[in-house]
Amino acid sequence: MDAHVSFVDSAHMSSRNLSVLLVEDSRVLAERLRETVLSVPGVHLAGTVDSEADAVAALQRHPIDVLLLDLHLRQGTGFGVLRAIPGSPARKVVVIVLTNYDLAEYRRAAAALGARHFLDKLRDFDRLPTLLQIGADIIDDDGAQGPAN
């Protein structure tokens, strides 16, 4: 599978928008998630990447409020991304794990590494817009750059 990395120019976005980075290796699912993210008012999709290295680099370079993170990536893992967050400028990012591997040990490991939400792609996909809307509402209510932690 070819790498896919895309970012939009955030200079044209309101500072009150919730900035989301999507980390997903399936092009089909990435497109579905992109449509879902863009359907939520007050939410901005900052970019889409499909590998651990690209995700870590994006978190270093772009102000991200929410990280939508798959665990199995084209190269590397979502766990590697989670391990890199504490030392990055994105250390306050809200992480929503989206995976097909809804295993108890994955849930525990993701939570221990700072993931706030853990969603099964098939069973919990419909919860994503609500979680994003809550984050966007927090930004809209207080004008802050990112959800309160």
Side-chain angles (χ1 to χ4, degrees), residues 17-18 37-44 132-133 136-137:
N17 283 345
L18 186 74
V37 168
L38 294 175
S39 73
V40 179
V43 175
H44 158 66
L132 293 174
Q133 186 62 60
D137 289 346

Side-chain angles (χ1 to χ4, degrees), residues 119-138:
L119 305 178
D120 179 278
K121 287 180 183 176
L122 296 175
R123 188 185 63 237
D124 301 324
F125 191 89
D126 60 338
R127 290 182 50 209
L128 183 58
T130 302
L131 291 172
L132 293 174
Q133 186 62 60
I134 291 168
D137 289 346
I138 290 169

Side-chain angles (χ1 to χ4, degrees), residues 7 17-23 37 40 42-48 55 58-59 62-69 81 85 90-98 116-117 119 128-139 145-149:
F7 283 89
N17 283 345
L18 186 74
S19 180
V20 176
L21 175 63
L22 172 59
V23 183
V37 168
V40 179
V43 175
H44 158 66
L45 183 61
T48 302
L59 289 168
H62 302 280
I64 303 297
D65 299 308
V66 175
L67 178 64
L68 297 180
L69 182 63
V81 176
I85 290 173
R91 64 186 170 274
K92 292 186 179 184
V93 69
V94 174
V95 179
I96 302 173
V97 171
L98 286 160
R116 177 124 6 130
H117 303 280
L119 305 178
L128 183 58
T130 302
L131 291 172
L132 293 174
Q133 186 62 60
I134 291 168
D137 289 346
I138 290 169
I139 287 178
Q145 284 285 347
N149 284 340

Side-chain angles (χ1 to χ4, degrees), residues 38-111:
L38 294 175
S39 73
V40 179
V43 175
H44 158 66
L45 183 61
T48 302
V49 298
D50 65 355
S51 73
E52 179 180 328
D54 289 338
V56 171
L59 289 168
Q60 294 286 336
R61 289 192 306 261
H62 302 280
I64 303 297
D65 299 308
V66 175
L67 178 64
L68 297 180
L69 182 63
D70 187 11
L71 293 178
H72 292 267
L73 303 173
R74 182 180 54 81
Q75 293 177 333
T77 69
F79 291 116
V81 176
L82 287 168
R83 284 185 201 97
I85 290 173
S88 80
R91 64 186 170 274
K92 292 186 179 184
V93 69
V94 174
V95 179
I96 302 173
V97 171
L98 286 160
T99 185
N100 286 322
Y101 301 92
D102 187 11
L103 304 171
E105 57 267 27
Y106 281 11
R107 283 182 177 272
R108 284 191 297 274

